Amino acid sequence: MNREVRPGPVRRTRPLPLPATASLDEAGRVFDRALNALAARMTLGLSPAALRAAWADWASHLAAAPGKQAELARKALSKTTRLRDYALPGGASDRCIAPLPQDRRFDAEGWSKPPFDLIHQAFLLQQQWWWNATTGVRGVTRQHEQVVAFAARQMLDVFSPANFVPTNPEVLERARETGGMNFVQGARNWLEDAGRALTGQAVPRPEGFEVGRDVAASPGKVVYRNRLIELIQYAPTTETARPEPILITPAWIMKYYILDLSPGNSLVRYLVGRGFTVFIISWLNPGAEDRDLGMDDYLREGQMAALQAATAITGAERVHACGYCLGGTLLTIAAAAMARDGDDRLASLTLLAAQSDFTEAGELTLFIDESQVSFLEDMMWEQGYLDTWQMAGAFQLLRSNDLIWSRMTREYLMGERARPSDLMAWNADATRLPYRMHSEYLRWLFLEDRLAEGHYKVDGAAVALSDIRTPVFAVGTETDHVAPWRSVYKAHLLFDAEVTFALTNGGHNAGVVSEPGHPGRHYRLRTTAAHDPYHDPEAWLAAAPRHEGSWWTAWAEWLARRSGEPVPPPGLGAPGWGYPALEDAPGLYVVAP
């Protein structure tokens, strides 16, 4: 059944009312959840109880480890001596310590001159000492060690010398050049941002990035719509097309057009230009009334409904299925269920920065334990969904020195706004997650790892990833904080299939949006047959040849080798099969509030 797009903004709702016959115990539980929800909104969803438990585990074991304490004392003395030698005239000429490769805060020339060289070196040595202090304490659980190290890093990032006017040479130089007007402009920037935060206004979309005109602009038609998705079929640009269409499942924590940005870096446009018929799912941005949508709904009314439509419209017997991030996880669940049931409609499986095993899912797992999940559940239960700012806060914390403090320094101290780009405009166009789905996702996949361990059920029966024998093309990105590439690499262990693995430079988004001609792009690629001996990630990294350029070209060639000979492209939609062309792409759901 078609569903109309809501015309107005979604407002937070009050907790569900208790029935008249509710007991005092039930009322107490509701009160507890409401209280936790209030606290969660103040802490960006971080559970104080989880943080306290991690700190207590670390502190108690450190207190009972005099050997570790002595080691830390020796390291503190050694670092102090190194800093003294560096500071003395005629002392050491080389830096005491170099920043981590991803830390760009101290790259400017001013940081190499006195006294700023000494200031930032002292900070980096302190940062290194705290990493030594929070790791390697015998007896501390791995989860708690990671949480404590993460929390220490967050606190240190707050007090970085790059964040303060007197200790930042770039800010002081800008003040000299502008006569202090950078602080005036920075104050204006802060007032604008504070006003939007207090009134709940969204960040305005920068000019030149209008959805449907500048981004998400590839021509096509919406050929199917239900209460959860719109399915877009793109118009062909070649005289012939491969008989097997490509069906792309993006994550519903993002708008689909990350894969159809500007014409020059649109993956959709690239595939269509290479002679493929492309479909993509555009997910509904849910509100409070969608609180009970679950993972089964996303599988049935999202992935499987789109697959049925794509095969009916094209008449194809098989489809190249591609999933990005959480969309790739959903696609993997669907592929396992299809393999279990003897459904062979998948010609290939492509997973872009997508995980199936969540035991090593990077720093996101810091937010996943029983205390943390319960805390998040109470927050979502109260409002019906996980809001965009709540989800964005967690992702920003993973790279706080880049996404929080460096941005604040640039905008409020330097007085500069970042130059808008299509990727930035897309990143600000966030989506919500329904209460039930997000709770199931956190518990079933992150907390219990049901999919990798064979406990995930579809239609009442468990699915096994080892049933998947369809050729797999998996993409990991080198600096991914959301789906670390070594976690994505576990496709080699999970599937009983040929796996072609590509490792590209960049992060979770920039590594995937890696069009041909983009400067500085490279990737590694290697294929492992279904029954070849296993190589761990480091052995694979050493053996896989490096290629300059975009992994898109290698993927398109991989798809072509697994496709039939080109034929005339299908029409847009199939009214006779119940799939009329409803309207022009990008459709309604992508622009709904």
Side-chain angles (χ1 to χ4, degrees):
M1 182 176 70
N2 292 350
R3 173 177 177 154
E4 295 182 355
V5 176
R6 291 179 288 277
V10 177
R11 296 178 175 85
R12 194 181 75 243
T13 60
R14 295 182 178 180
L16 296 177
L18 283 169
T21 57
S23 67
L24 289 177
D25 290 342
E26 290 172 328
R29 285 191 289 270
V30 169
F31 178 77
D32 290 345
R33 298 196 77 172
L35 189 63
N36 282 340
L38 177 63
R41 287 199 298 273
M42 299 173 62
T43 64
L44 292 178
L46 294 176
S47 168
L51 294 175
R52 284 195 302 268
W55 179 86
D57 187 11
W58 168 77
S60 61
H61 283 90
L62 180 60
K68 179 68 173 180
Q69 295 172 31
E71 175 190 334
L72 293 174
R74 288 194 301 272
K75 288 182 179 294
L77 179 60
S78 172
K79 294 180 190 303
T80 302
T81 302
R82 287 162 58 194
L83 186 64
R84 181 205 63 190
D85 293 343
Y86 180 74
L88 289 175
S93 58
D94 294 334
R95 291 185 299 177
C96 305
I97 182 173
L100 294 173
Q102 66 270 22
D103 188 351
R104 317 294 295 180
R105 289 174 292 183
F106 309 113
D107 284 355
E109 183 181 354
W111 290 105
S112 64
K113 300 177 181 178
F116 306 106
D117 56 347
L118 188 62
I119 291 171
H120 94 271
Q121 287 288 285
F123 172 77
L124 291 175
L125 287 169
Q126 184 183 50
Q127 182 176 263
Q128 187 184 62
W129 185 89
W130 273 104
W131 184 85
N132 294 140
T134 54
T135 60
V137 179
R138 184 173 174 79
V140 179
T141 68
R142 182 181 179 186
Q143 170 81 5
H144 287 164
E145 178 182 87
Q146 292 175 334
V147 169
V148 172
F150 176 80
R153 191 177 78 235
Q154 298 304 311
M155 292 300 297
L156 286 168
D157 283 345
V158 172
F159 297 104
S160 166
N163 299 342
F164 302 96
V165 175
T167 55
N168 189 322
E170 295 178 88
V171 174
L172 293 174
E173 178 64 20
R174 179 57 55 86
R176 186 189 66 79
E177 293 173 350
T178 65
M181 290 304 295
N182 56 305
F183 299 128
V184 175
Q185 183 58 50
R188 290 173 180 164
N189 293 342
W190 183 86
L191 288 171
E192 288 178 6
D193 294 346
R196 279 194 291 265
L198 289 173
T199 58
Q201 297 177 350
V203 177
R205 177 178 293 278
E207 294 183 5
F209 301 103
E210 181 180 334
V211 175
R213 186 192 67 188
D214 307 298
V215 294
S218 295
K221 296 287 185 181
V222 175
V223 294
Y224 175 70
R225 179 187 294 130
N226 61 25
R227 66 168 180 162
L228 192 55
I229 71 166
E230 289 181 328
L231 183 65
I232 300 171
Q233 180 185 0
Y234 290 94
T237 60
T238 55
E239 294 183 358
T240 59
R242 299 288 180 172
E244 298 84 2
I246 299 174
L247 171 61
I248 301 176
T249 307
W252 51 94
I253 61 173
M254 58 178 73
K255 296 291 181 72
Y256 82 87
Y257 66 89
I258 179 67
L259 299 176
D260 185 28
L261 283 172
S262 303
N265 60 1
S266 166
L267 178 60
V268 165
R269 191 175 293 249
Y270 176 79
L271 291 171
V272 171
R274 295 293 294 263
F276 292 99
T277 299
V278 177
F279 294 82
I280 197 167
I281 293 173
S282 175
W283 299 98
L284 173 77
N285 191 10
E289 64 271 34
D290 303 304
R291 61 182 300 124
D292 291 326
L293 288 173
M295 288 292 292
D296 287 345
D297 297 302
Y298 277 79
L299 179 63
R300 181 178 59 256
E301 299 184 48
Q303 183 66 62
M304 300 311 296
L307 178 61
Q308 179 63 33
T311 54
I313 290 170
T314 61
E317 295 182 356
R318 310 188 80 195
V319 170
H320 294 299
C322 171
Y324 184 16
C325 186
L326 179 53
T329 303
L330 184 73
L331 174 59
T332 302
I333 295 170
M338 293 170 68
R340 179 199 65 189
D341 299 338
D343 186 340
D344 63 352
R345 285 180 291 171
L346 298 185
S348 71
L349 193 64
T350 297
L351 304 174
L352 310 180
Q355 302 173 94
S356 302
D357 183 311
F358 290 82
T359 54
E360 296 179 304
E363 289 187 326
L364 276 178
T365 58
L366 299 177
F367 305 102
I368 309 299
D369 60 19
E370 184 59 43
S371 174
Q372 183 62 62
V373 170
S374 298
F375 203 62
L376 283 171
E377 285 176 336
D378 289 345
M379 180 177 66
M380 295 185 295
W381 163 84
E382 191 266 349
Q383 61 193 18
Y385 51 82
L386 184 69
D387 210 344
T388 56
W389 65 268
Q390 293 160 336
M391 182 166 51
F395 284 111
Q396 287 177 347
L397 283 175
L398 298 182
R399 295 175 56 200
S400 61
N401 61 357
D402 285 336
L403 302 181
I404 299 178
W405 303 111
S406 293
R407 182 187 65 82
M408 293 177 67
T409 298
R410 182 183 66 249
E411 297 191 358
Y412 304 151
L413 300 184
M414 302 286 283
E416 301 173 350
R417 289 291 197 189
R419 180 177 298 178
S421 66
D422 50 10
L423 194 57
M424 287 178 58
W426 166 84
N427 195 54
D429 196 5
T431 58
R432 297 173 291 271
L433 299 177
Y435 159 64
R436 180 182 172 188
M437 184 288 303
H438 195 47
S439 176
E440 292 174 348
Y441 169 61
L442 292 177
R443 285 194 174 277
W444 295 355
L445 297 176
F446 270 93
L447 196 59
E448 300 173 6
D449 204 25
R450 292 187 185 183
L451 184 57
E453 295 185 5
H455 304 308
Y456 195 100
K457 292 186 177 181
V458 176
D459 295 330
V463 297
L465 298 181
S466 57
D467 288 340
I468 296 176
R469 296 177 175 84
T470 303
V472 174
F473 191 100
V475 178
T477 64
E478 292 177 351
T479 57
D480 197 330
H481 292 265
V482 180
W485 77 265
R486 289 172 177 82
S487 182
V488 177
Y489 182 84
K490 289 186 177 182
H492 292 86
L493 291 170
L494 299 172
F495 307 141
D496 187 14
E498 174 193 276
V499 176
T500 299
F501 189 76
L503 178 62
T504 179
N505 63 326
H508 188 68
N509 298 321
V512 171
V513 183
S514 180
E515 70 281 4
H518 192 294
R521 291 301 187 196
H522 64 261
Y523 65 95
R524 296 179 184 274
L525 186 74
R526 193 179 187 193
T527 297
T528 303
H531 301 295
D532 280 354
Y534 173 72
H535 297 282
D536 66 31
E538 308 312 318
W540 181 93
L541 189 63
R546 170 171 163 153
H547 305 272
E548 299 301 320
S550 169
W551 63 268
W552 290 12
T553 57
W555 181 42
E557 293 168 0
W558 185 88
L559 290 171
R561 291 195 298 270
R562 289 158 179 80
S563 302
E565 292 299 316
V567 297
L572 297 181
W577 292 97
Y579 297 101
L582 301 176
E583 61 184 277
D584 289 339
L588 300 178
Y589 285 2
V590 73
V591 295

